[in-house]
Amino acid sequence: MNTKHKEKNEQVQYSALAGVSRREFLKTTMKAGVFIASSDYLLNSSENLVQLVAMKQGKEEFLFAYISDSHLLARGKEHRFARALIKAVEDVNAMEPQPDFVFYGGDLAQLGLREELLLGKDIIAPLKPKVYMMVGEHDWYYDMGEAWKEFFGKPTYSFDHKGVHFIVLNSVIVEDYWSETKMSPMERMLFMAQLDNPKGRPFTVGEEQRKWLKEDLSRVGKGTPIVVFSHSPLYKYYKPWNFWTDDAEEVQKLLAPFKSVTVIHGHTHQVLTNKIKNIVFHGILSTAWPWPYAPEGIPKLTIQMDRADPFNQFDGTGWGMAGITSRGKVNKTYNLWDRNPMVVSYEKLLSGKEHVAGHSY
Amino acid sequence: MKLLYKYFLCFCLCLTMITYSAKAEDGSAYDASHDVQLSQEKAVQIVTACDGRKKVIVEGCNEGDVMPEQKARKVAELLMQLMEFCEEEITAKLPKTEMFIQLSINGMPYVTVRDAEEIPLILVHGGKSHTEREKKVWAAEMDRMINEGYALFHNPSLGKNGISCDMCHPDASNTHPETYPKYQTQMNKAVLLRDMINWCIENPMEGEKLAEDDSKMKAVEAYILSARAGKKLDPGKH
């Protein structure tokens, strides 16, 4: 890490730990399932947390970073959402060692406009590692993905990296609600952009992509670790806010034969952890704003992040990292700006009985 | 015309008073049991108006007695006032002292008034139950206010940077109106819901704050309050 970042990080760590004895801190950290390799942790806190985590599930082989849900408006780089994305890009560029690649989790734009997408493209251009893009509903429903595809390519694809098979899906497909009512493109977009729209349609991966997925997976060995990226969670959390994928079970079924599967999804703007059979699901943070937890359906394994402080734009928001072990397991880090990072290691998930009842919203 | 009507009423009344000066027990046009009980203990005479819907229980007069003229006039006047007032069934109790009158409308509990002049004050709905039409109008008016708030909440117009409340507060979650008034540490004082609404307008949305009596403020409050109605209060949590 460069020094600027190092200093800042140390400051954050220490201020957050004030009042907690070192022993206590280690104890709680251990309890949370994070295994600290060296007791010099505090002296060395600028080191990458994930690299300090020793795992039974294999040595950590490589690391990628994620940035997501920036919801840019066509209002230049001074707008608060643009500033937040710029901050994330700077943070990732300051990582040392650099992650193998950066994954963007969708909703780069707020209203799917070319200007918004171009602004986003411009802001993430300085990212040093290779960037993989995924589409979100806010990028899509103004022109049905035309501009996004022009700038970033196919929304559905797969690639292999150091023995892991990565799959990127477009999980924000909904049935046509706009033709019959003759909505204009902007009306269609605004209808989709409203999270609490009582008439909203549930997201799907859709038959076409499921077919593609089946074919793609047919070429992959059952022992090969798989990481799937989707914008919506590939399970059913809370339908009224579309924290939901309607054909989730069918997608899960296609992934069932594989030994190690991790789904990493955007859209929910919160720390979110779930496990269904062989599949582990991780949410990712938004750079723009945090969402409250839904009134019901929160997966048991989730240790909820605290309520955000409305007086601080950078509370409850941020970016993150994922470390992949030699066995293809994922250790997930949420880099909450202005708070301690939250690490959800695979170890922790396996022992994950410590459901913490969160706030009611 | 009105005078004629009064005469007619008076005529009716006199008739009933003569022909229907009934025993309390079988003058059972009203069924409140305490009335029966009362009538067993005390001497009462029940006088019913010719519409059959207004009755006066005259205390201190035995059934069959001929009422003193002054009393009879008082009772007749009272019945007339009640009949002019509304069509509903009203039972009035006139105590011997005539210091006050107790009224029960449509079998509802008795309310006490000092004299007949006060009847309209007590029976605020004019003694009528609300019509379906009235209820519809009121519900529509209330919905209009809430819907106006919903629209403002789901629209960037309150701010200047294209951001709207619903982006961070879907279904008004996290607004916790049930927790106000409360001390906001960041503002260093106890505040009301509207202060926090204004805070979010000025800060995340970079807009100009609303006056407290601005109809927009009222509408936003109306939406938040209605969306969160019935939510459990979790002291100390929010």
Side-chain angles (χ1 to χ4, degrees):
Chain A
M1 289 189 180
N2 74 15
T3 40
K4 181 179 146 227
H5 189 68
K6 184 168 168 173
E7 263 166 33
K8 199 182 76 191
N9 218 18
E10 262 170 6
Q11 224 178 11
V12 171
Q13 300 270 1
Y14 279 117
S15 63
L17 288 171
V20 181
S21 80
R22 178 171 151 159
R23 237 185 104 194
E24 251 168 9
F25 172 74
L26 285 177
K27 241 173 34 201
T28 32
T29 321
M30 298 287 280
K31 214 167 93 193
V34 179
F35 292 78
I36 308 294
S38 140
S39 57
D40 285 334
Y41 171 72
L42 285 185
L43 304 174
N44 231 336
S45 59
S46 61
E47 291 284 320
N48 195 314
L49 239 187
V50 173
Q51 287 179 334
L52 285 165
V53 174
M55 280 137 316
K56 287 189 197 141
Q57 292 295 328
K59 209 170 118 301
E60 203 156 282
E61 292 288 306
F62 69 94
L63 195 72
F64 69 86
Y66 74 78
I67 304 176
S68 192
D69 293 84
S70 301
H71 294 267
L72 299 178
L73 289 151
R75 288 166 184 256
K77 290 185 181 172
E78 282 307 310
H79 188 272
R80 62 188 261 141
F81 293 169
R83 279 189 278 122
L85 179 56
I86 291 168
K87 186 174 161 84
V89 168
E90 283 172 359
D91 282 358
V92 170
N93 277 346
M95 278 174 77
E96 210 174 287
Q98 279 283 285
D100 280 20
F101 61 84
V102 182
F103 167 68
Y104 192 88
D107 287 353
L108 181 62
Q110 167 67 8
L111 300 172
L113 300 172
R114 287 182 79 84
E115 299 92 298
E116 296 172 348
L117 291 165
L118 275 177
L119 176 66
K121 192 169 190 249
D122 190 31
I123 292 176
I124 62 176
L127 278 169
K128 290 188 260 177
K130 180 174 171 54
V131 179
Y132 289 100
M133 294 296 290
M134 181 169 72
V135 79
E137 80 277 14
H138 285 266
D139 305 317
W140 195 260
Y141 282 92
Y142 178 69
D143 61 4
M144 302 309 288
E146 230 154 81
W148 192 91
K149 284 187 279 191
E150 182 189 326
F151 301 145
F152 304 112
K154 278 186 189 166
T156 311
Y157 58 96
S158 64
F159 61 94
D160 294 291
H161 184 82
K162 294 187 178 165
V164 179
H165 188 63
F166 288 89
I167 294 163
V168 182
L169 296 174
N170 169 4
S171 70
V172 297
I173 295 169
V174 304
E175 65 174 34
D176 184 341
Y177 56 83
W178 52 89
S179 297
E180 206 181 313
T181 48
K182 298 200 171 67
M183 285 185 184
S184 70
M186 192 38 96
E187 283 167 345
R188 174 173 60 204
M189 183 65 243
L190 289 172
F191 183 96
M192 178 53 79
Q194 183 186 336
L195 191 76
D196 63 6
N197 184 350
K199 294 185 190 138
R201 303 297 158 91
F203 290 142
T204 66
V205 169
E207 203 180 318
E208 202 182 317
Q209 268 184 112
R210 291 203 309 271
K211 225 172 105 196
W212 173 89
L213 180 62
K214 197 172 165 185
E215 229 170 86
D216 184 74
L217 289 171
S218 70
R219 291 189 290 268
V220 181
K222 300 287 181 279
T224 306
I226 291 178
V227 175
V228 181
F229 294 120
S230 62
H231 185 67
S232 61
L234 280 184
Y235 59 94
K236 291 172 172 171
Y237 167 10
Y238 188 63
K239 200 170 186 181
W241 296 350
N242 234 340
F243 288 2
W244 188 273
T245 306
D246 225 35
D247 53 357
E249 288 88 350
E250 288 163 78
V251 179
Q252 289 166 17
K253 214 181 281 168
L254 295 175
L255 297 165
F258 294 86
K259 239 175 105 181
S260 170
V261 186
T262 309
V263 171
I264 293 177
H265 66 85
H267 188 58
T268 50
H269 300 203
Q270 60 196 216
V271 174
L272 198 62
T273 316
N274 196 10
K275 186 171 183 295
I276 300 173
K277 292 179 189 154
N278 64 325
I279 310 175
V280 173
F281 302 84
H282 291 288
I284 47 189
L285 297 173
S286 157
T287 55
W289 72 84
W291 255 326
Y293 285 96
E296 59 192 37
I298 306 167
K300 269 218 178 92
L301 282 172
T302 300
I303 294 187
Q304 298 183 23
M305 63 187 198
D306 255 341
R307 298 159 50 200
D309 178 355
F311 290 74
N312 178 357
Q313 182 196 339
F314 296 115
D315 193 28
T317 52
W319 55 286
M321 305 176 292
I324 315 278
T325 74
S326 55
R327 296 195 189 182
K329 303 302 183 195
V330 173
N331 296 312
K332 181 73 195 324
T333 303
Y334 296 87
N335 281 328
L336 289 147
W337 283 316
D338 293 1
R339 293 193 197 184
N340 275 335
M342 267 180 87
V343 183
V344 182
S345 71
Y346 191 75
E347 281 290 336
K348 171 181 174 173
L349 267 182
L350 289 187
S351 64
K353 284 160 206 128
E354 45 191 316
H355 172 54
V356 177
H359 301 296
S360 64
Y361 292 87
Chain B
M1 187 66 208
K2 187 144 187 196
L3 210 73
L4 249 171
Y5 178 62
K6 274 202 171 180
Y7 276 123
F8 169 71
L9 277 178
C10 240
F11 174 70
C12 278
L13 276 173
C14 295
L15 258 182
T16 25
M17 280 170 75
I18 295 156
T19 56
Y20 191 19
S21 186
K23 283 183 188 156
E25 287 87 349
D26 54 33
S28 53
Y30 53 95
D31 51 20
S33 56
H34 62 273
D35 283 351
V36 177
Q37 218 179 356
L38 180 135
S39 65
Q40 277 161 355
E41 288 161 11
K42 285 188 196 164
V44 296
Q45 199 176 104
I46 296 167
V47 185
T48 306
C50 52
D51 68 351
R53 301 174 73 77
K54 310 285 186 291
K55 298 182 182 69
V56 177
I57 302 173
V58 187
E59 294 177 1
C61 274
N62 280 312
E63 24 118 1
D65 284 0
V66 177
M67 253 182 245
E69 198 198 322
Q70 222 176 343
K71 189 90 155 182
R73 189 170 294 142
K74 172 112 188 170
V75 172
E77 250 168 38
L78 179 57
L79 278 173
M80 265 188 336
Q81 272 162 322
L82 291 175
M83 282 202 289
E84 271 181 21
F85 182 62
C86 71
E87 312 261 273
E88 308 299 303
E89 265 182 39
I90 300 182
T91 307
K93 272 196 265 184
L94 189 66
K96 196 173 172 187
T97 57
E98 294 179 20
M99 295 276 278
F100 56 86
I101 306 166
Q102 286 186 302
L103 298 170
S104 162
I105 186 159
N106 289 329
M108 304 282 281
Y110 281 98
V111 287
T112 304
V113 296
R114 265 174 308 166
D115 54 47
E117 304 292 299
E118 277 190 357
I119 296 172
L121 292 181
I122 289 291
L123 306 172
V124 277
H125 301 308
K128 292 192 186 74
S129 36
H130 307 312
T131 63
E132 285 314 302
R133 204 189 112 77
E134 278 174 324
K135 287 186 207 162
K136 266 193 195 135
V137 170
W138 297 335
E141 280 301 298
M142 186 187 73
D143 285 348
R144 200 161 57 92
M145 188 181 199
I146 294 171
N147 290 342
E148 193 193 325
Y150 181 95
L152 289 164
F153 198 88
H154 289 78
N155 184 300
S157 67
L158 286 178
K160 290 222 174 83
N161 56 10
I163 301 176
S164 56
C165 314
D166 65 308
M167 282 162 64
C168 300
H169 301 287
D171 290 325
S173 56
N174 252 350
T175 53
H176 307 133
E178 68 278 15
T179 62
Y180 287 85
K182 76 176 163 202
Y183 191 88
Q184 268 290 354
T185 42
Q186 299 96 331
M187 295 183 190
N188 266 328
K189 59 180 178 207
V191 299
L192 295 174
L193 179 66
R194 70 197 62 157
D195 298 309
M196 203 55 202
I197 293 174
N198 264 339
W199 191 88
C200 273
I201 290 176
E202 282 187 293
N203 290 280
M205 292 172 40
E206 296 168 49
E208 267 155 43
K209 70 176 185 186
L210 297 171
E212 297 202 354
D213 61 351
D214 192 313
S215 64
K216 287 183 188 166
M217 173 60 87
K218 292 180 186 174
V220 172
E221 276 189 23
Y223 166 64
I224 290 178
L225 289 166
S226 71
R228 301 278 305 176
K231 289 282 188 298
K232 203 170 114 248
L233 183 62
D234 259 337
K237 259 195 176 169
H238 306 295

PDB file of all heavy atoms in Angstrom, chain B residues 195-219:
ATOM      1  N   ASP B 195     -37.530  18.035  11.606  1.00  0.00           N
ATOM      2  CA  ASP B 195     -36.152  18.545  11.611  1.00  0.00           C
ATOM      3  C   ASP B 195     -35.226  17.589  10.879  1.00  0.00           C
ATOM      4  O   ASP B 195     -34.307  18.000  10.168  1.00  0.00           O
ATOM      5  CB  ASP B 195     -35.667  18.738  13.051  1.00  0.00           C
ATOM      6  CG  ASP B 195     -36.510  19.772  13.785  1.00  0.00           C
ATOM      7  OD1 ASP B 195     -36.694  20.873  13.233  1.00  0.00           O
ATOM      8  OD2 ASP B 195     -37.003  19.462  14.882  1.00  0.00           O
ATOM      9  N   MET B 196     -35.486  16.295  11.060  1.00  0.00           N
ATOM     10  CA  MET B 196     -34.648  15.291  10.394  1.00  0.00           C
ATOM     11  C   MET B 196     -35.003  15.221   8.903  1.00  0.00           C
ATOM     12  O   MET B 196     -34.131  14.988   8.069  1.00  0.00           O
ATOM     13  CB  MET B 196     -34.843  13.954  11.090  1.00  0.00           C
ATOM     14  CG  MET B 196     -33.708  12.992  10.902  1.00  0.00           C
ATOM     15  SD  MET B 196     -32.108  13.651  11.393  1.00  0.00           S
ATOM     16  CE  MET B 196     -31.080  12.566  10.413  1.00  0.00           C
ATOM     17  N   ILE B 197     -36.277  15.431   8.587  1.00  0.00           N
ATOM     18  CA  ILE B 197     -36.658  15.507   7.169  1.00  0.00           C
ATOM     19  C   ILE B 197     -35.887  16.646   6.516  1.00  0.00           C
ATOM     20  O   ILE B 197     -35.260  16.486   5.473  1.00  0.00           O
ATOM     21  CB  ILE B 197     -38.181  15.722   7.019  1.00  0.00           C
ATOM     22  CG1 ILE B 197     -38.947  14.486   7.510  1.00  0.00           C
ATOM     23  CG2 ILE B 197     -38.543  16.050   5.566  1.00  0.00           C
ATOM     24  CD1 ILE B 197     -40.457  14.660   7.531  1.00  0.00           C
ATOM     25  N   ASN B 198     -35.900  17.794   7.167  1.00  0.00           N
ATOM     26  CA  ASN B 198     -35.176  18.941   6.624  1.00  0.00           C
ATOM     27  C   ASN B 198     -33.681  18.670   6.545  1.00  0.00           C
ATOM     28  O   ASN B 198     -33.008  19.086   5.608  1.00  0.00           O
ATOM     29  CB  ASN B 198     -35.442  20.186   7.480  1.00  0.00           C
ATOM     30  CG  ASN B 198     -36.556  21.032   6.884  1.00  0.00           C
ATOM     31  OD1 ASN B 198     -36.852  20.921   5.693  1.00  0.00           O
ATOM     32  ND2 ASN B 198     -37.173  21.863   7.699  1.00  0.00           N
ATOM     33  N   TRP B 199     -33.175  17.955   7.538  1.00  0.00           N
ATOM     34  CA  TRP B 199     -31.747  17.658   7.518  1.00  0.00           C
ATOM     35  C   TRP B 199     -31.397  16.833   6.278  1.00  0.00           C
ATOM     36  O   TRP B 199     -30.421  17.104   5.586  1.00  0.00           O
ATOM     37  CB  TRP B 199     -31.331  16.917   8.793  1.00  0.00           C
ATOM     38  CG  TRP B 199     -29.844  16.865   8.885  1.00  0.00           C
ATOM     39  CD1 TRP B 199     -29.016  17.797   9.455  1.00  0.00           C
ATOM     40  CD2 TRP B 199     -28.993  15.858   8.310  1.00  0.00           C
ATOM     41  NE1 TRP B 199     -27.709  17.431   9.284  1.00  0.00           N
ATOM     42  CE2 TRP B 199     -27.664  16.244   8.581  1.00  0.00           C
ATOM     43  CE3 TRP B 199     -29.222  14.689   7.600  1.00  0.00           C
ATOM     44  CZ2 TRP B 199     -26.573  15.487   8.179  1.00  0.00           C
ATOM     45  CZ3 TRP B 199     -28.136  13.935   7.187  1.00  0.00           C
ATOM     46  CH2 TRP B 199     -26.822  14.339   7.476  1.00  0.00           C
ATOM     47  N   CYS B 200     -32.227  15.814   6.003  1.00  0.00           N
ATOM     48  CA  CYS B 200     -31.955  14.968   4.832  1.00  0.00           C
ATOM     49  C   CYS B 200     -32.174  15.741   3.529  1.00  0.00           C
ATOM     50  O   CYS B 200     -31.515  15.474   2.534  1.00  0.00           O
ATOM     51  CB  CYS B 200     -32.794  13.685   4.866  1.00  0.00           C
ATOM     52  SG  CYS B 200     -31.989  12.350   5.802  1.00  0.00           S
ATOM     53  N   ILE B 201     -33.085  16.702   3.531  1.00  0.00           N
ATOM     54  CA  ILE B 201     -33.261  17.531   2.331  1.00  0.00           C
ATOM     55  C   ILE B 201     -32.002  18.369   2.097  1.00  0.00           C
ATOM     56  O   ILE B 201     -31.496  18.479   0.988  1.00  0.00           O
ATOM     57  CB  ILE B 201     -34.497  18.448   2.474  1.00  0.00           C
ATOM     58  CG1 ILE B 201     -35.792  17.622   2.422  1.00  0.00           C
ATOM     59  CG2 ILE B 201     -34.505  19.520   1.389  1.00  0.00           C
ATOM     60  CD1 ILE B 201     -37.053  18.434   2.647  1.00  0.00           C
ATOM     61  N   GLU B 202     -31.492  18.945   3.178  1.00  0.00           N
ATOM     62  CA  GLU B 202     -30.352  19.860   3.031  1.00  0.00           C
ATOM     63  C   GLU B 202     -29.040  19.139   2.761  1.00  0.00           C
ATOM     64  O   GLU B 202     -28.169  19.665   2.083  1.00  0.00           O
ATOM     65  CB  GLU B 202     -30.190  20.702   4.298  1.00  0.00           C
ATOM     66  CG  GLU B 202     -31.175  21.841   4.410  1.00  0.00           C
ATOM     67  CD  GLU B 202     -30.852  22.727   5.598  1.00  0.00           C
ATOM     68  OE1 GLU B 202     -30.985  22.244   6.742  1.00  0.00           O
ATOM     69  OE2 GLU B 202     -30.453  23.892   5.381  1.00  0.00           O
ATOM     70  N   ASN B 203     -28.899  17.927   3.318  1.00  0.00           N
ATOM     71  CA  ASN B 203     -27.599  17.270   3.218  1.00  0.00           C
ATOM     72  C   ASN B 203     -27.497  16.254   2.087  1.00  0.00           C
ATOM     73  O   ASN B 203     -27.013  16.627   1.023  1.00  0.00           O
ATOM     74  CB  ASN B 203     -27.180  16.752   4.580  1.00  0.00           C
ATOM     75  CG  ASN B 203     -26.842  17.930   5.493  1.00  0.00           C
ATOM     76  OD1 ASN B 203     -25.759  18.477   5.406  1.00  0.00           O
ATOM     77  ND2 ASN B 203     -27.797  18.366   6.291  1.00  0.00           N
ATOM     78  N   PRO B 204     -27.973  15.012   2.290  1.00  0.00           N
ATOM     79  CA  PRO B 204     -27.792  14.114   1.136  1.00  0.00           C
ATOM     80  C   PRO B 204     -28.394  14.669  -0.156  1.00  0.00           C
ATOM     81  O   PRO B 204     -27.891  14.412  -1.237  1.00  0.00           O
ATOM     82  CB  PRO B 204     -28.468  12.807   1.569  1.00  0.00           C
ATOM     83  CG  PRO B 204     -29.137  13.052   2.854  1.00  0.00           C
ATOM     84  CD  PRO B 204     -28.599  14.325   3.421  1.00  0.00           C
ATOM     85  N   MET B 205     -29.473  15.475  -0.039  1.00  0.00           N
ATOM     86  CA  MET B 205     -30.143  15.920  -1.260  1.00  0.00           C
ATOM     87  C   MET B 205     -29.792  17.346  -1.675  1.00  0.00           C
ATOM     88  O   MET B 205     -30.251  17.836  -2.697  1.00  0.00           O
ATOM     89  CB  MET B 205     -31.651  15.734  -1.128  1.00  0.00           C
ATOM     90  CG  MET B 205     -31.962  14.240  -1.087  1.00  0.00           C
ATOM     91  SD  MET B 205     -33.621  13.744  -0.732  1.00  0.00           S
ATOM     92  CE  MET B 205     -34.612  14.893  -1.614  1.00  0.00           C
ATOM     93  N   GLU B 206     -28.978  17.991  -0.861  1.00  0.00           N
ATOM     94  CA  GLU B 206     -28.455  19.325  -1.171  1.00  0.00           C
ATOM     95  C   GLU B 206     -29.541  20.312  -1.597  1.00  0.00           C
ATOM     96  O   GLU B 206     -29.336  21.139  -2.484  1.00  0.00           O
ATOM     97  CB  GLU B 206     -27.340  19.218  -2.229  1.00  0.00           C
ATOM     98  CG  GLU B 206     -26.126  18.444  -1.727  1.00  0.00           C
ATOM     99  CD  GLU B 206     -25.132  18.066  -2.814  1.00  0.00           C
ATOM    100  OE1 GLU B 206     -24.766  18.958  -3.600  1.00  0.00           O
ATOM    101  OE2 GLU B 206     -24.730  16.879  -2.870  1.00  0.00           O
ATOM    102  N   GLY B 207     -30.715  20.196  -0.975  1.00  0.00           N
ATOM    103  CA  GLY B 207     -31.808  21.100  -1.312  1.00  0.00           C
ATOM    104  C   GLY B 207     -31.980  22.187  -0.261  1.00  0.00           C
ATOM    105  O   GLY B 207     -31.147  22.338   0.636  1.00  0.00           O
ATOM    106  N   GLU B 208     -33.063  22.954  -0.418  1.00  0.00           N
ATOM    107  CA  GLU B 208     -33.337  23.991   0.574  1.00  0.00           C
ATOM    108  C   GLU B 208     -34.410  23.510   1.519  1.00  0.00           C
ATOM    109  O   GLU B 208     -35.418  22.945   1.095  1.00  0.00           O
ATOM    110  CB  GLU B 208     -33.798  25.271  -0.121  1.00  0.00           C
ATOM    111  CG  GLU B 208     -32.630  26.189  -0.384  1.00  0.00           C
ATOM    112  CD  GLU B 208     -32.912  27.120  -1.549  1.00  0.00           C
ATOM    113  OE1 GLU B 208     -34.038  27.646  -1.610  1.00  0.00           O
ATOM    114  OE2 GLU B 208     -31.999  27.286  -2.385  1.00  0.00           O
ATOM    115  N   LYS B 209     -34.215  23.784   2.799  1.00  0.00           N
ATOM    116  CA  LYS B 209     -35.143  23.198   3.756  1.00  0.00           C
ATOM    117  C   LYS B 209     -36.531  23.822   3.642  1.00  0.00           C
ATOM    118  O   LYS B 209     -36.682  24.949   3.195  1.00  0.00           O
ATOM    119  CB  LYS B 209     -34.591  23.288   5.174  1.00  0.00           C
ATOM    120  CG  LYS B 209     -34.531  24.646   5.796  1.00  0.00           C
ATOM    121  CD  LYS B 209     -34.052  24.455   7.229  1.00  0.00           C
ATOM    122  CE  LYS B 209     -34.073  25.763   7.976  1.00  0.00           C
ATOM    123  NZ  LYS B 209     -33.479  25.621   9.309  1.00  0.00           N
ATOM    124  N   LEU B 210     -37.516  23.046   4.026  1.00  0.00           N
ATOM    125  CA  LEU B 210     -38.905  23.496   3.927  1.00  0.00           C
ATOM    126  C   LEU B 210     -39.304  24.214   5.209  1.00  0.00           C
ATOM    127  O   LEU B 210     -38.815  23.876   6.290  1.00  0.00           O
ATOM    128  CB  LEU B 210     -39.823  22.287   3.747  1.00  0.00           C
ATOM    129  CG  LEU B 210     -39.651  21.448   2.481  1.00  0.00           C
ATOM    130  CD1 LEU B 210     -40.496  20.176   2.577  1.00  0.00           C
ATOM    131  CD2 LEU B 210     -40.054  22.249   1.248  1.00  0.00           C
ATOM    132  N   ALA B 211     -40.217  25.195   5.062  1.00  0.00           N
ATOM    133  CA  ALA B 211     -40.784  25.817   6.262  1.00  0.00           C
ATOM    134  C   ALA B 211     -41.604  24.757   6.985  1.00  0.00           C
ATOM    135  O   ALA B 211     -42.136  23.843   6.354  1.00  0.00           O
ATOM    136  CB  ALA B 211     -41.668  26.989   5.862  1.00  0.00           C
ATOM    137  N   GLU B 212     -41.685  24.887   8.290  1.00  0.00           N
ATOM    138  CA  GLU B 212     -42.351  23.835   9.066  1.00  0.00           C
ATOM    139  C   GLU B 212     -43.826  23.694   8.715  1.00  0.00           C
ATOM    140  O   GLU B 212     -44.400  22.629   8.858  1.00  0.00           O
ATOM    141  CB  GLU B 212     -42.203  24.117  10.562  1.00  0.00           C
ATOM    142  CG  GLU B 212     -40.743  24.073  10.974  1.00  0.00           C
ATOM    143  CD  GLU B 212     -40.556  23.805  12.442  1.00  0.00           C
ATOM    144  OE1 GLU B 212     -41.571  23.766  13.162  1.00  0.00           O
ATOM    145  OE2 GLU B 212     -39.405  23.646  12.859  1.00  0.00           O
ATOM    146  N   ASP B 213     -44.440  24.797   8.270  1.00  0.00           N
ATOM    147  CA  ASP B 213     -45.862  24.699   7.932  1.00  0.00           C
ATOM    148  C   ASP B 213     -46.074  24.604   6.419  1.00  0.00           C
ATOM    149  O   ASP B 213     -47.182  24.751   5.932  1.00  0.00           O
ATOM    150  CB  ASP B 213     -46.640  25.884   8.518  1.00  0.00           C
ATOM    151  CG  ASP B 213     -46.152  27.211   7.957  1.00  0.00           C
ATOM    152  OD1 ASP B 213     -45.118  27.214   7.266  1.00  0.00           O
ATOM    153  OD2 ASP B 213     -46.798  28.243   8.221  1.00  0.00           O
ATOM    154  N   ASP B 214     -45.008  24.373   5.690  1.00  0.00           N
ATOM    155  CA  ASP B 214     -45.120  24.174   4.243  1.00  0.00           C
ATOM    156  C   ASP B 214     -45.993  22.940   3.983  1.00  0.00           C
ATOM    157  O   ASP B 214     -45.825  21.909   4.638  1.00  0.00           O
ATOM    158  CB  ASP B 214     -43.712  23.959   3.675  1.00  0.00           C
ATOM    159  CG  ASP B 214     -43.693  24.028   2.145  1.00  0.00           C
ATOM    160  OD1 ASP B 214     -44.571  23.389   1.528  1.00  0.00           O
ATOM    161  OD2 ASP B 214     -42.813  24.701   1.595  1.00  0.00           O
ATOM    162  N   SER B 215     -46.900  23.058   3.029  1.00  0.00           N
ATOM    163  CA  SER B 215     -47.788  21.921   2.782  1.00  0.00           C
ATOM    164  C   SER B 215     -46.988  20.711   2.297  1.00  0.00           C
ATOM    165  O   SER B 215     -47.389  19.569   2.498  1.00  0.00           O
ATOM    166  CB  SER B 215     -48.862  22.301   1.755  1.00  0.00           C
ATOM    167  OG  SER B 215     -48.255  22.584   0.527  1.00  0.00           O
ATOM    168  N   LYS B 216     -45.824  20.950   1.696  1.00  0.00           N
ATOM    169  CA  LYS B 216     -44.976  19.827   1.278  1.00  0.00           C
ATOM    170  C   LYS B 216     -44.427  19.086   2.489  1.00  0.00           C
ATOM    171  O   LYS B 216     -44.360  17.860   2.512  1.00  0.00           O
ATOM    172  CB  LYS B 216     -43.799  20.329   0.427  1.00  0.00           C
ATOM    173  CG  LYS B 216     -44.195  20.766  -0.950  1.00  0.00           C
ATOM    174  CD  LYS B 216     -42.948  21.161  -1.718  1.00  0.00           C
ATOM    175  CE  LYS B 216     -43.301  21.794  -3.041  1.00  0.00           C
ATOM    176  NZ  LYS B 216     -42.139  22.457  -3.632  1.00  0.00           N
ATOM    177  N   MET B 217     -44.020  19.858   3.494  1.00  0.00           N
ATOM    178  CA  MET B 217     -43.514  19.236   4.715  1.00  0.00           C
ATOM    179  C   MET B 217     -44.604  18.373   5.346  1.00  0.00           C
ATOM    180  O   MET B 217     -44.382  17.230   5.753  1.00  0.00           O
ATOM    181  CB  MET B 217     -43.038  20.322   5.689  1.00  0.00           C
ATOM    182  CG  MET B 217     -42.644  19.814   7.062  1.00  0.00           C
ATOM    183  SD  MET B 217     -41.296  18.602   7.016  1.00  0.00           S
ATOM    184  CE  MET B 217     -39.866  19.688   7.050  1.00  0.00           C
ATOM    185  N   LYS B 218     -45.817  18.958   5.403  1.00  0.00           N
ATOM    186  CA  LYS B 218     -46.925  18.215   6.003  1.00  0.00           C
ATOM    187  C   LYS B 218     -47.195  16.933   5.222  1.00  0.00           C
ATOM    188  O   LYS B 218     -47.449  15.879   5.803  1.00  0.00           O
ATOM    189  CB  LYS B 218     -48.178  19.080   6.047  1.00  0.00           C
ATOM    190  CG  LYS B 218     -48.047  20.237   7.019  1.00  0.00           C
ATOM    191  CD  LYS B 218     -49.305  21.082   7.032  1.00  0.00           C
ATOM    192  CE  LYS B 218     -49.091  22.313   7.895  1.00  0.00           C
ATOM    193  NZ  LYS B 218     -50.231  23.231   7.830  1.00  0.00           N
ATOM    194  N   ALA B 219     -47.123  17.039   3.900  1.00  0.00           N
ATOM    195  CA  ALA B 219     -47.412  15.862   3.076  1.00  0.00           C
ATOM    196  C   ALA B 219     -46.347  14.778   3.275  1.00  0.00           C
ATOM    197  O   ALA B 219     -46.669  13.593   3.399  1.00  0.00           O
ATOM    198  CB  ALA B 219     -47.498  16.268   1.605  1.00  0.00           C
TER     199      ALA B 219
END
